Amino acid sequence: MAIAIPSDVNTGWLGLIWILVAMIPAAIGGGLLQPSINSSITKQIDFSEVGGMLGISAALLSAANALAPVIGGVLFQAFGASWPFLLAGS
């Protein structure tokens, strides 16, 4: 099912502003959460394994950052605009 692009004169600036505003709490949350996760990981393992585990943590974070937009785009295209948000919010 193809998503139709509106043909009116609205340039979408208000939507862009809203998404930029919505990114602020997401960035703050990620900035606070990732150091807490890394701290929790390092307290659970032996000192000699800290570097390896932090590397694995960074790799998983990078994989999530790479795959999430792809999965969201597939959901958006296949099921509609609300599905990526419904799935991520549940």
Side-chain angles (χ1 to χ4, degrees), residues 15-35:
L16 178 63
I17 291 169
W18 273 112
I19 195 70
L20 291 174
V21 169
M23 288 172 56
I24 292 170
I28 292 170
L32 293 174
L33 197 60
Q34 191 59 36

Side-chain angles (χ1 to χ4, degrees), residues 4-5 9 14 24-26 29 32-33 37-39 43 45 50 54 57 65 69 73 83-84 88-89:
I5 298 175
V9 295
L14 184 61
I24 292 170
L32 293 174
L33 197 60
I37 291 170
N38 286 341
S39 176
K43 291 179 187 214
I45 59 172
V50 169
L54 290 178
S57 173
N65 286 337
W83 272 92

Side-chain angles (χ1 to χ4, degrees), residues 43-75:
K43 291 179 187 214
Q44 300 295 322
I45 59 172
D46 188 55
F47 182 73
S48 63
E49 298 175 351
V50 169
M53 287 304 285
L54 290 178
I56 292 170
S57 173
L60 291 174
L61 179 64
S62 296
N65 286 337
L67 292 176
V70 174
I71 294 169
V74 169
L75 289 171

Side-chain angles (χ1 to χ4, degrees), residues 72-88:
V74 169
L75 289 171
F76 183 91
Q77 185 69 32
F79 301 112
S82 59
W83 272 92
F85 303 103
L86 293 173
L87 186 66

